[in-house]
mmCIF file of all heavy atoms in Angstrom:
data_model
loop_
_atom_site.group_PDB
_atom_site.id
_atom_site.type_symbol
_atom_site.label_atom_id
_atom_site.label_comp_id
_atom_site.label_asym_id
_atom_site.label_seq_id
_atom_site.Cartn_x
_atom_site.Cartn_y
_atom_site.Cartn_z
ATOM 1 N N VAL A 108 -35.124 232.103 246.089
ATOM 2 C CA VAL A 108 -36.510 231.993 245.603
ATOM 3 C C VAL A 108 -37.433 232.938 246.374
ATOM 4 O O VAL A 108 -38.406 233.457 245.811
ATOM 5 C CB VAL A 108 -37.048 230.534 245.615
ATOM 6 C CG1 VAL A 108 -36.287 229.672 244.626
ATOM 7 C CG2 VAL A 108 -37.032 229.920 246.990
ATOM 8 N N GLN A 109 -37.097 233.184 247.629
ATOM 9 C CA GLN A 109 -37.902 234.129 248.411
ATOM 10 C C GLN A 109 -37.843 235.533 247.781
ATOM 11 O O GLN A 109 -38.847 236.238 247.721
ATOM 12 C CB GLN A 109 -37.400 234.171 249.866
ATOM 13 C CG GLN A 109 -38.214 235.062 250.790
ATOM 14 C CD GLN A 109 -39.564 234.434 251.167
ATOM 15 O OE1 GLN A 109 -39.626 233.279 251.556
ATOM 16 N NE2 GLN A 109 -40.642 235.205 251.022
ATOM 17 N N ARG A 110 -36.668 235.891 247.303
ATOM 18 C CA ARG A 110 -36.514 237.204 246.641
ATOM 19 C C ARG A 110 -37.434 237.314 245.436
ATOM 20 O O ARG A 110 -38.051 238.350 245.196
ATOM 21 C CB ARG A 110 -35.072 237.371 246.134
ATOM 22 C CG ARG A 110 -34.124 237.945 247.158
ATOM 23 C CD ARG A 110 -32.705 237.685 246.724
ATOM 24 N NE ARG A 110 -32.124 238.847 246.048
ATOM 25 C CZ ARG A 110 -30.823 239.145 246.127
ATOM 26 N NH1 ARG A 110 -29.995 238.387 246.825
ATOM 27 N NH2 ARG A 110 -30.353 240.198 245.493
ATOM 28 N N ILE A 111 -37.499 236.228 244.671
ATOM 29 C CA ILE A 111 -38.331 236.246 243.465
ATOM 30 C C ILE A 111 -39.818 236.273 243.858
ATOM 31 O O ILE A 111 -40.624 236.975 243.251
ATOM 32 C CB ILE A 111 -38.014 235.022 242.573
ATOM 33 C CG1 ILE A 111 -36.518 234.999 242.225
ATOM 34 C CG2 ILE A 111 -38.835 235.057 241.301
ATOM 35 C CD1 ILE A 111 -36.109 233.830 241.359
ATOM 36 N N TYR A 112 -40.129 235.527 244.904
ATOM 37 C CA TYR A 112 -41.505 235.493 245.401
ATOM 38 C C TYR A 112 -41.912 236.885 245.903
ATOM 39 O O TYR A 112 -42.975 237.396 245.559
ATOM 40 C CB TYR A 112 -41.598 234.464 246.530
ATOM 41 C CG TYR A 112 -42.966 234.292 247.121
ATOM 42 C CD1 TYR A 112 -43.975 233.666 246.399
ATOM 43 C CD2 TYR A 112 -43.244 234.729 248.418
ATOM 44 C CE1 TYR A 112 -45.233 233.492 246.941
ATOM 45 C CE2 TYR A 112 -44.503 234.559 248.968
ATOM 46 C CZ TYR A 112 -45.499 233.938 248.231
ATOM 47 O OH TYR A 112 -46.742 233.767 248.774
ATOM 48 N N ASP A 113 -41.023 237.502 246.669
ATOM 49 C CA ASP A 113 -41.303 238.842 247.195
ATOM 50 C C ASP A 113 -41.452 239.866 246.082
ATOM 51 O O ASP A 113 -42.146 240.862 246.219
ATOM 52 C CB ASP A 113 -40.197 239.291 248.166
ATOM 53 C CG ASP A 113 -40.189 238.455 249.449
ATOM 54 O OD1 ASP A 113 -41.198 237.765 249.706
ATOM 55 O OD2 ASP A 113 -39.166 238.473 250.161
ATOM 56 N N ALA A 114 -40.769 239.621 244.960
ATOM 57 C CA ALA A 114 -40.866 240.545 243.826
ATOM 58 C C ALA A 114 -42.169 240.314 243.049
ATOM 59 O O ALA A 114 -42.430 240.999 242.045
ATOM 60 C CB ALA A 114 -39.655 240.367 242.906
ATOM 61 N N GLY A 115 -42.966 239.353 243.487
ATOM 62 C CA GLY A 115 -44.256 239.097 242.834
ATOM 63 C C GLY A 115 -44.140 238.282 241.557
ATOM 64 O O GLY A 115 -45.057 238.263 240.740
ATOM 65 N N GLU A 116 -43.032 237.583 241.369
ATOM 66 C CA GLU A 116 -42.814 236.858 240.121
ATOM 67 C C GLU A 116 -43.117 235.368 240.224
ATOM 68 O O GLU A 116 -42.855 234.612 239.298
ATOM 69 C CB GLU A 116 -41.373 237.061 239.633
ATOM 70 C CG GLU A 116 -41.000 238.519 239.381
ATOM 71 C CD GLU A 116 -41.765 239.157 238.232
ATOM 72 O OE1 GLU A 116 -43.017 239.264 238.340
ATOM 73 O OE2 GLU A 116 -41.143 239.543 237.231
ATOM 74 N N ILE A 117 -43.651 234.960 241.381
ATOM 75 C CA ILE A 117 -44.022 233.545 241.554
ATOM 76 C C ILE A 117 -45.480 233.484 242.011
ATOM 77 O O ILE A 117 -45.882 234.243 242.893
ATOM 78 C CB ILE A 117 -43.083 232.862 242.582
ATOM 79 C CG1 ILE A 117 -41.675 232.705 241.963
ATOM 80 C CG2 ILE A 117 -43.632 231.495 243.007
ATOM 81 C CD1 ILE A 117 -40.652 232.044 242.882
ATOM 82 N N TYR A 118 -46.256 232.625 241.379
ATOM 83 C CA TYR A 118 -47.673 232.501 241.744
ATOM 84 C C TYR A 118 -48.076 231.025 241.771
ATOM 85 O O TYR A 118 -47.361 230.174 241.239
ATOM 86 C CB TYR A 118 -48.550 233.279 240.744
ATOM 87 C CG TYR A 118 -48.468 232.738 239.318
ATOM 88 C CD1 TYR A 118 -49.403 231.825 238.846
ATOM 89 C CD2 TYR A 118 -47.440 233.133 238.457
ATOM 90 C CE1 TYR A 118 -49.326 231.310 237.561
ATOM 91 C CE2 TYR A 118 -47.357 232.632 237.171
ATOM 92 C CZ TYR A 118 -48.300 231.720 236.717
ATOM 93 O OH TYR A 118 -48.216 231.211 235.463
ATOM 94 N N GLU A 119 -49.222 230.729 242.372
ATOM 95 C CA GLU A 119 -49.651 229.342 242.512
ATOM 96 C C GLU A 119 -50.637 228.957 241.413
ATOM 97 O O GLU A 119 -51.494 229.749 241.045
ATOM 98 C CB GLU A 119 -50.310 229.152 243.884
ATOM 99 C CG GLU A 119 -50.425 227.695 244.271
ATOM 100 C CD GLU A 119 -50.918 227.518 245.701
ATOM 101 O OE1 GLU A 119 -51.642 228.404 246.197
ATOM 102 O OE2 GLU A 119 -50.571 226.502 246.319
ATOM 103 N N ASP A 120 -50.491 227.758 240.908
ATOM 104 C CA ASP A 120 -51.419 227.282 239.874
ATOM 105 C C ASP A 120 -51.368 225.759 239.843
ATOM 106 O O ASP A 120 -50.541 225.149 240.508
ATOM 107 C CB ASP A 120 -51.005 227.857 238.506
ATOM 108 C CG ASP A 120 -52.191 227.943 237.541
ATOM 109 O OD1 ASP A 120 -53.255 227.357 237.834
ATOM 110 O OD2 ASP A 120 -52.047 228.586 236.493
ATOM 111 N N VAL A 121 -52.235 225.187 239.039
ATOM 112 C CA VAL A 121 -52.213 223.732 238.932
ATOM 113 C C VAL A 121 -51.383 223.339 237.723
ATOM 114 O O VAL A 121 -51.544 223.907 236.648
ATOM 115 C CB VAL A 121 -53.645 223.169 238.803
ATOM 116 C CG1 VAL A 121 -53.605 221.663 238.522
ATOM 117 C CG2 VAL A 121 -54.432 223.457 240.067
ATOM 118 N N TYR A 122 -50.469 222.410 237.946
ATOM 119 C CA TYR A 122 -49.690 221.926 236.826
ATOM 120 C C TYR A 122 -50.250 220.590 236.378
ATOM 121 O O TYR A 122 -50.454 219.684 237.175
ATOM 122 C CB TYR A 122 -48.204 221.743 237.186
ATOM 123 C CG TYR A 122 -47.447 221.216 235.996
ATOM 124 C CD1 TYR A 122 -47.045 222.084 234.993
ATOM 125 C CD2 TYR A 122 -47.243 219.842 235.828
ATOM 126 C CE1 TYR A 122 -46.424 221.593 233.856
ATOM 127 C CE2 TYR A 122 -46.626 219.356 234.695
ATOM 128 C CZ TYR A 122 -46.217 220.239 233.712
ATOM 129 O OH TYR A 122 -45.625 219.764 232.582
ATOM 130 N N ALA A 123 -50.456 220.479 235.095
ATOM 131 C CA ALA A 123 -50.855 219.183 234.543
ATOM 132 C C ALA A 123 -50.050 218.990 233.285
ATOM 133 O O ALA A 123 -50.073 219.831 232.387
ATOM 134 C CB ALA A 123 -52.343 219.182 234.228
ATOM 135 N N GLY A 124 -49.271 217.943 233.228
ATOM 136 C CA GLY A 124 -48.470 217.741 232.035
ATOM 137 C C GLY A 124 -47.510 216.585 232.178
ATOM 138 O O GLY A 124 -47.628 215.762 233.089
ATOM 139 N N LEU A 125 -46.566 216.548 231.275
ATOM 140 C CA LEU A 125 -45.672 215.396 231.164
ATOM 141 C C LEU A 125 -44.300 215.737 231.720
ATOM 142 O O LEU A 125 -43.773 216.820 231.478
ATOM 143 C CB LEU A 125 -45.559 214.996 229.687
ATOM 144 C CG LEU A 125 -46.907 214.602 229.075
ATOM 145 C CD1 LEU A 125 -46.837 214.623 227.564
ATOM 146 C CD2 LEU A 125 -47.333 213.231 229.600
ATOM 147 N N TYR A 126 -43.748 214.786 232.435
ATOM 148 C CA TYR A 126 -42.489 215.031 233.135
ATOM 149 C C TYR A 126 -41.555 213.850 232.909
ATOM 150 O O TYR A 126 -41.937 212.695 233.118
ATOM 151 C CB TYR A 126 -42.774 215.179 234.636
ATOM 152 C CG TYR A 126 -41.610 215.686 235.426
ATOM 153 C CD1 TYR A 126 -41.277 217.034 235.411
ATOM 154 C CD2 TYR A 126 -40.832 214.815 236.199
ATOM 155 C CE1 TYR A 126 -40.200 217.515 236.147
ATOM 156 C CE2 TYR A 126 -39.748 215.300 236.934
ATOM 157 C CZ TYR A 126 -39.440 216.640 236.901
ATOM 158 O OH TYR A 126 -38.370 217.109 237.628
ATOM 159 N N CYS A 127 -40.312 214.158 232.461
ATOM 160 C CA CYS A 127 -39.312 213.092 232.353
ATOM 161 C C CYS A 127 -38.455 213.147 233.612
ATOM 162 O O CYS A 127 -37.727 214.112 233.825
ATOM 163 C CB CYS A 127 -38.422 213.236 231.125
ATOM 164 S SG CYS A 127 -37.016 212.078 231.190
ATOM 165 N N PRO A 128 -38.523 212.113 234.445
ATOM 166 C CA PRO A 128 -37.758 212.148 235.701
ATOM 167 C C PRO A 128 -36.257 212.063 235.483
ATOM 168 O O PRO A 128 -35.490 212.508 236.333
ATOM 169 C CB PRO A 128 -38.276 210.920 236.469
ATOM 170 C CG PRO A 128 -38.890 210.028 235.446
ATOM 171 C CD PRO A 128 -39.337 210.888 234.320
ATOM 172 N N ARG A 129 -35.831 211.509 234.357
ATOM 173 C CA ARG A 129 -34.386 211.447 234.097
ATOM 174 C C ARG A 129 -33.852 212.827 233.760
ATOM 175 O O ARG A 129 -32.791 213.219 234.197
ATOM 176 C CB ARG A 129 -34.094 210.487 232.933
ATOM 177 C CG ARG A 129 -34.456 209.056 233.230
ATOM 178 C CD ARG A 129 -33.202 208.238 233.530
ATOM 179 N NE ARG A 129 -33.558 206.857 233.817
ATOM 180 C CZ ARG A 129 -33.747 205.933 232.872
ATOM 181 N NH1 ARG A 129 -33.593 206.245 231.593
ATOM 182 N NH2 ARG A 129 -34.072 204.714 233.205
ATOM 183 N N CYS A 130 -34.593 213.589 232.945
ATOM 184 C CA CYS A 130 -34.183 214.963 232.609
ATOM 185 C C CYS A 130 -34.514 215.911 233.751
ATOM 186 O O CYS A 130 -33.984 216.994 233.817
ATOM 187 C CB CYS A 130 -34.959 215.514 231.412
ATOM 188 S SG CYS A 130 -34.650 214.746 229.850
ATOM 189 N N GLU A 131 -35.457 215.510 234.577
ATOM 190 C CA GLU A 131 -36.066 216.408 235.551
ATOM 191 C C GLU A 131 -36.630 217.615 234.805
ATOM 192 O O GLU A 131 -36.428 218.763 235.173
ATOM 193 C CB GLU A 131 -35.053 216.875 236.610
ATOM 194 C CG GLU A 131 -34.463 215.765 237.455
ATOM 195 C CD GLU A 131 -35.364 215.250 238.573
ATOM 196 O OE1 GLU A 131 -36.538 215.649 238.604
ATOM 197 O OE2 GLU A 131 -34.894 214.443 239.406
ATOM 198 N N ALA A 132 -37.342 217.325 233.726
ATOM 199 C CA ALA A 132 -37.870 218.424 232.919
ATOM 200 C C ALA A 132 -39.265 218.098 232.421
ATOM 201 O O ALA A 132 -39.619 216.931 232.241
ATOM 202 C CB ALA A 132 -36.949 218.704 231.737
ATOM 203 N N PHE A 133 -40.037 219.167 232.221
ATOM 204 C CA PHE A 133 -41.391 219.034 231.697
ATOM 205 C C PHE A 133 -41.332 219.081 230.171
ATOM 206 O O PHE A 133 -40.512 219.787 229.585
ATOM 207 C CB PHE A 133 -42.266 220.186 232.206
ATOM 208 C CG PHE A 133 -42.377 220.208 233.708
ATOM 209 C CD1 PHE A 133 -41.544 221.030 234.464
ATOM 210 C CD2 PHE A 133 -43.283 219.399 234.363
ATOM 211 C CE1 PHE A 133 -41.626 221.048 235.859
ATOM 212 C CE2 PHE A 133 -43.378 219.413 235.760
ATOM 213 C CZ PHE A 133 -42.553 220.233 236.506
ATOM 214 N N TYR A 134 -42.212 218.341 229.536
ATOM 215 C CA TYR A 134 -42.272 218.340 228.072
ATOM 216 C C TYR A 134 -43.685 218.591 227.586
ATOM 217 O O TYR A 134 -44.653 218.208 228.249
ATOM 218 C CB TYR A 134 -41.789 216.992 227.517
ATOM 219 C CG TYR A 134 -40.279 216.863 227.543
ATOM 220 C CD1 TYR A 134 -39.639 216.116 228.529
ATOM 221 C CD2 TYR A 134 -39.498 217.523 226.598
ATOM 222 C CE1 TYR A 134 -38.252 216.021 228.563
ATOM 223 C CE2 TYR A 134 -38.124 217.438 226.626
ATOM 224 C CZ TYR A 134 -37.505 216.686 227.603
ATOM 225 O OH TYR A 134 -36.147 216.608 227.629
ATOM 226 N N THR A 135 -43.773 219.215 226.413
ATOM 227 C CA THR A 135 -45.070 219.302 225.745
ATOM 228 C C THR A 135 -45.164 218.091 224.813
ATOM 229 O O THR A 135 -44.139 217.502 224.451
ATOM 230 C CB THR A 135 -45.163 220.589 224.896
ATOM 231 O OG1 THR A 135 -44.130 220.545 223.902
ATOM 232 C CG2 THR A 135 -44.983 221.832 225.749
ATOM 233 N N GLU A 136 -46.373 217.747 224.417
ATOM 234 C CA GLU A 136 -46.575 216.623 223.490
ATOM 235 C C GLU A 136 -45.696 216.793 222.253
ATOM 236 O O GLU A 136 -45.088 215.845 221.769
ATOM 237 C CB GLU A 136 -48.044 216.566 223.024
ATOM 238 C CG GLU A 136 -49.041 216.224 224.117
ATOM 239 C CD GLU A 136 -49.159 214.720 224.378
ATOM 240 O OE1 GLU A 136 -48.463 213.944 223.690
ATOM 241 O OE2 GLU A 136 -49.926 214.341 225.282
ATOM 242 N N ALA A 137 -45.640 218.043 221.765
ATOM 243 C CA ALA A 137 -44.916 218.319 220.523
ATOM 244 C C ALA A 137 -43.417 218.039 220.647
ATOM 245 O O ALA A 137 -42.753 217.703 219.664
ATOM 246 C CB ALA A 137 -45.138 219.770 220.107
ATOM 247 N N GLU A 138 -42.899 218.155 221.847
ATOM 248 C CA GLU A 138 -41.458 217.947 222.037
ATOM 249 C C GLU A 138 -41.085 216.465 222.111
ATOM 250 O O GLU A 138 -39.924 216.102 221.999
ATOM 251 C CB GLU A 138 -40.990 218.649 223.319
ATOM 252 C CG GLU A 138 -40.934 220.160 223.182
ATOM 253 C CD GLU A 138 -40.733 220.858 224.527
ATOM 254 O OE1 GLU A 138 -41.333 220.425 225.536
ATOM 255 O OE2 GLU A 138 -39.974 221.844 224.557
ATOM 256 N N LEU A 139 -42.062 215.611 222.343
ATOM 257 C CA LEU A 139 -41.768 214.182 222.480
ATOM 258 C C LEU A 139 -41.486 213.561 221.117
ATOM 259 O O LEU A 139 -41.941 214.050 220.086
ATOM 260 C CB LEU A 139 -42.948 213.459 223.142
ATOM 261 C CG LEU A 139 -43.362 213.962 224.537
ATOM 262 C CD1 LEU A 139 -44.549 213.161 225.037
ATOM 263 C CD2 LEU A 139 -42.205 213.886 225.524
ATOM 264 N N VAL A 140 -40.715 212.492 221.144
ATOM 265 C CA VAL A 140 -40.458 211.745 219.918
ATOM 266 C C VAL A 140 -41.128 210.379 220.100
ATOM 267 O O VAL A 140 -40.758 209.630 221.015
ATOM 268 C CB VAL A 140 -38.937 211.576 219.691
ATOM 269 C CG1 VAL A 140 -38.673 210.740 218.445
ATOM 270 C CG2 VAL A 140 -38.265 212.946 219.597
ATOM 271 N N ASP A 141 -42.100 210.093 219.262
ATOM 272 C CA ASP A 141 -42.911 208.870 219.399
ATOM 273 C C ASP A 141 -43.462 208.736 220.821
ATOM 274 O O ASP A 141 -43.456 207.644 221.409
ATOM 275 C CB ASP A 141 -42.083 207.607 219.080
ATOM 276 C CG ASP A 141 -41.583 207.610 217.645
ATOM 277 O OD1 ASP A 141 -42.266 208.225 216.801
ATOM 278 O OD2 ASP A 141 -40.516 207.024 217.385
ATOM 279 N N GLY A 142 -43.875 209.857 221.363
ATOM 280 C CA GLY A 142 -44.456 209.821 222.708
ATOM 281 C C GLY A 142 -43.440 209.636 223.823
ATOM 282 O O GLY A 142 -43.809 209.432 224.979
ATOM 283 N N LYS A 143 -42.139 209.686 223.442
ATOM 284 C CA LYS A 143 -41.112 209.443 224.459
ATOM 285 C C LYS A 143 -40.185 210.652 224.629
ATOM 286 O O LYS A 143 -40.079 211.488 223.728
ATOM 287 C CB LYS A 143 -40.279 208.229 224.057
ATOM 288 C CG LYS A 143 -41.085 206.947 224.151
ATOM 289 C CD LYS A 143 -40.273 205.761 223.702
ATOM 290 C CE LYS A 143 -41.107 204.485 223.804
ATOM 291 N NZ LYS A 143 -40.581 203.434 222.949
ATOM 292 N N CYS A 144 -39.514 210.714 225.759
ATOM 293 C CA CYS A 144 -38.568 211.791 226.021
ATOM 294 C C CYS A 144 -37.504 211.817 224.929
ATOM 295 O O CYS A 144 -36.908 210.786 224.615
ATOM 296 C CB CYS A 144 -37.920 211.561 227.385
ATOM 297 S SG CYS A 144 -36.399 212.483 227.585
ATOM 298 N N PRO A 145 -37.254 212.993 224.314
ATOM 299 C CA PRO A 145 -36.288 213.061 223.209
ATOM 300 C C PRO A 145 -34.848 212.756 223.648
ATOM 301 O O PRO A 145 -34.024 212.385 222.827
ATOM 302 C CB PRO A 145 -36.417 214.503 222.709
ATOM 303 C CG PRO A 145 -37.039 215.267 223.835
ATOM 304 C CD PRO A 145 -37.878 214.288 224.598
ATOM 305 N N VAL A 146 -34.560 212.887 224.938
ATOM 306 C CA VAL A 146 -33.193 212.629 225.407
ATOM 307 C C VAL A 146 -33.039 211.177 225.874
ATOM 308 O O VAL A 146 -32.083 210.502 225.517
ATOM 309 C CB VAL A 146 -32.794 213.595 226.554
ATOM 310 C CG1 VAL A 146 -31.373 213.321 227.026
ATOM 311 C CG2 VAL A 146 -32.940 215.052 226.111
ATOM 312 N N HIS A 147 -34.004 210.689 226.651
ATOM 313 C CA HIS A 147 -33.839 209.376 227.285
ATOM 314 C C HIS A 147 -34.657 208.260 226.664
ATOM 315 O O HIS A 147 -34.496 207.103 227.019
ATOM 316 C CB HIS A 147 -34.142 209.474 228.784
ATOM 317 C CG HIS A 147 -33.180 210.357 229.502
ATOM 318 N ND1 HIS A 147 -33.448 211.668 229.812
ATOM 319 C CD2 HIS A 147 -31.915 210.129 229.924
ATOM 320 C CE1 HIS A 147 -32.403 212.203 230.413
ATOM 321 N NE2 HIS A 147 -31.461 211.306 230.483
ATOM 322 N N GLY A 148 -35.567 208.628 225.768
ATOM 323 C CA GLY A 148 -36.363 207.604 225.111
ATOM 324 C C GLY A 148 -37.274 206.843 226.059
ATOM 325 O O GLY A 148 -37.607 205.687 225.803
ATOM 326 N N ILE A 149 -37.658 207.466 227.154
ATOM 327 C CA ILE A 149 -38.607 206.795 228.056
ATOM 328 C C ILE A 149 -39.930 207.561 228.037
ATOM 329 O O ILE A 149 -39.958 208.759 227.732
ATOM 330 C CB ILE A 149 -38.079 206.686 229.511
ATOM 331 C CG1 ILE A 149 -37.698 208.069 230.061
ATOM 332 C CG2 ILE A 149 -36.886 205.742 229.590
ATOM 333 C CD1 ILE A 149 -37.380 208.069 231.546
#
Side-chain angles (χ1 to χ4, degrees):
V108 294
Q109 183 75 48
R110 273 163 98 148
I111 303 180
Y112 181 71
D113 292 344
E116 301 294 63
I117 289 180
Y118 63 95
E119 196 173 28
D120 205 348
V121 173
Y122 179 81
L125 300 163
Y126 191 78
C127 170
R129 295 256 180 84
C130 293
E131 298 282 8
F133 299 96
Y134 283 102
T135 61
E136 293 277 359
E138 287 169 320
L139 302 179
V140 177
D141 298 332
K143 291 178 180 159
C144 161
V146 180
H147 296 98
I149 55 171

